[in-house]
């Protein structure tokens, strides 16, 4: 029986929920999933029952609540030290944390213009120079990491860094934001995982529509 519970939002839209979910699932860490959709413009009043921030995701472990995707992933890495959620090498761990933090705090132009929407038909979206700059920086990160590690994931094996960038892979593909070969190669590696395929299959079945994310 799972010791931890992960509260998530809509699988079609909730990029922040996707991050800890795909990491836990890919690493074989058992958890109870509780989906509470944000089918209101400003979330869902029911979030108050489990989320101090009124946002998802939230992880519960006994009487402990951890909110924020990256905090959840850091906690999981400590809670399950043998799962390999961070790279083994000190240098690689530092770099993985740096690019994860950059993803966590940055790329606001990309987030705003191209929300995650797995049901959206693949179609190019015209974007501004600020979004193009975000895309170029992400592609640079992927190239540097994959060249150094040899792939298929950013640090060889799947780590928290890959979980943090998984929603970006979805965005790049949905809105055809780059034709860089490294992006296609990295996208294929993530999409071939059983965890990605399980999440996406459920996302495509959802009927909730959040108008602001339909662009």
């Amino acid at each position: 029986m799972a010791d931890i519970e992960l509260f998530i939002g809509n699988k079609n839209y909730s990029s922040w929920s996707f991050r800890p979910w795909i990491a836990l699932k890919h690493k074989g860490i058992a958890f109870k999933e509780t989906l509470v959709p944000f089918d209101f413009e400003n979330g869902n009043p029911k979030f108050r029952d489990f989320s101090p921030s009124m946002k998802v995701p939230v992880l519960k472990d006994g009487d402990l609540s951890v909110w924020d995707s990256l905090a959840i992933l850091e906690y999981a890495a400590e809670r399950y030290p043998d799962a390999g959620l961070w790279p083994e090498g000190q240098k690689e761990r530092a770099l993985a944390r740096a690019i994860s933090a950059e993803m966590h705090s940055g790329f606001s132009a990309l987030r705003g213009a191209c929300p995650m929407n797995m049901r959206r038909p693949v179609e190019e979206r015209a974007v501004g120079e600020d979004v193009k700059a975000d895309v170029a920086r992400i592609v640079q990160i992927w190239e540097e990491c994959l060249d150094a590690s040899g792939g298929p994931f950013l640090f060889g094996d799947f780590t928290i860094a890959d979980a943090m960038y998984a929603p970006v892979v979805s965005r790049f593909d949905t809105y055809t934001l780059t034709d860089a070969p490294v992006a296609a190669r990295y996208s294929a590696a993530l999409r071939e995982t059983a965890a990605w395929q399980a999440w996406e299959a459920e996302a495509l079945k959802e009927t909730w529509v959040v108008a602001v994310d339909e662009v």
Side-chain angles (χ1 to χ4, degrees), residues 108-110 113 127-135:
S108 59
L110 172 62
V127 296
E129 293 304 315
D130 52 352
V131 177
K132 292 178 182 178
D134 281 353
V135 170

Side-chain angles (χ1 to χ4, degrees), residues 109-110 112-115 120-133 135 171-172 174-178 215:
L110 172 62
C114 302
R120 183 186 187 273
V122 174
E123 183 179 359
E124 184 175 357
R125 177 168 171 77
V127 296
E129 293 304 315
D130 52 352
V131 177
K132 292 178 182 178
V135 170
R171 287 178 164 102
F172 277 15
T174 297
Y175 302 98
T176 61
L177 294 174
T178 179
V215 298

Side-chain angles (χ1 to χ4, degrees), residues 2 22 32 56 59 61 120 127 130 154 159 166 181-182 188 201 205 212:
I22 193 173
K32 177 184 177 183
V56 286
L59 182 141
D61 187 359
R120 183 186 187 273
V127 296
D130 52 352
L154 295 175
T159 68
V182 69
K205 295 176 185 176
V212 70

Side-chain angles (χ1 to χ4, degrees), residues 33 67 82 84 123 133 156 172 180 187:
E33 173 191 317
W67 59 99
D82 296 331
E123 183 179 359
F172 277 15
S187 173

Side-chain angles (χ1 to χ4, degrees), residues 26-206:
H26 185 78
K27 293 297 188 178
I29 298 170
F31 63 96
K32 177 184 177 183
E33 173 191 317
T34 300
L35 192 156
V36 183
F38 45 86
D39 50 359
F40 296 80
E41 183 174 352
N42 294 312
N44 187 325
K46 293 181 181 177
F47 287 178
R48 189 173 292 108
D49 296 338
F50 60 86
S51 176
S53 66
M54 285 291 290
K55 297 178 180 180
V56 286
V58 174
L59 182 141
K60 285 191 174 290
D61 187 359
D63 60 359
L64 173 68
S65 293
V66 185
W67 59 99
D68 180 276
S69 294
L70 189 52
I72 291 170
L73 288 163
E74 286 278 16
Y75 178 74
E78 293 183 359
R79 177 79 156 75
Y80 304 97
D82 296 331
L85 281 163
W86 286 121
E88 290 187 7
Q90 184 180 47
K91 176 183 176 181
E92 289 76 17
R93 279 199 310 278
L95 290 172
R97 282 192 163 99
I99 67 167
S100 295
E102 185 174 355
M103 179 74 256
H104 187 262
S105 63
F107 308 114
S108 59
L110 172 62
R111 298 182 202 280
C114 302
M116 190 174 88
N117 183 347
M118 289 188 165
R119 285 198 311 259
R120 183 186 187 273
V122 174
E123 183 179 359
E124 184 175 357
R125 177 168 171 77
V127 296
E129 293 304 315
D130 52 352
V131 177
K132 292 178 182 178
D134 281 353
V135 170
R137 171 58 184 152
I138 292 167
V139 169
Q140 179 188 22
I141 289 170
W142 292 353
E143 286 179 336
E144 291 174 354
C145 289
L146 291 169
D147 284 350
S149 71
F153 302 111
L154 295 175
F155 293 89
D157 292 332
F158 186 101
T159 68
I160 286 171
D162 299 290
M164 290 300 293
Y165 282 86
V168 174
V169 166
S170 178
R171 287 178 164 102
F172 277 15
D173 291 350
T174 297
Y175 302 98
T176 61
L177 294 174
T178 179
D179 58 1
V182 69
R185 187 168 75 253
Y186 183 51
S187 173
L190 278 175
R191 286 180 172 277
E192 287 170 3
T193 65
W196 180 295
Q197 292 173 14
W199 175 281
E200 186 175 45
E202 293 300 317
L204 297 178
K205 295 176 185 176
E206 291 180 349

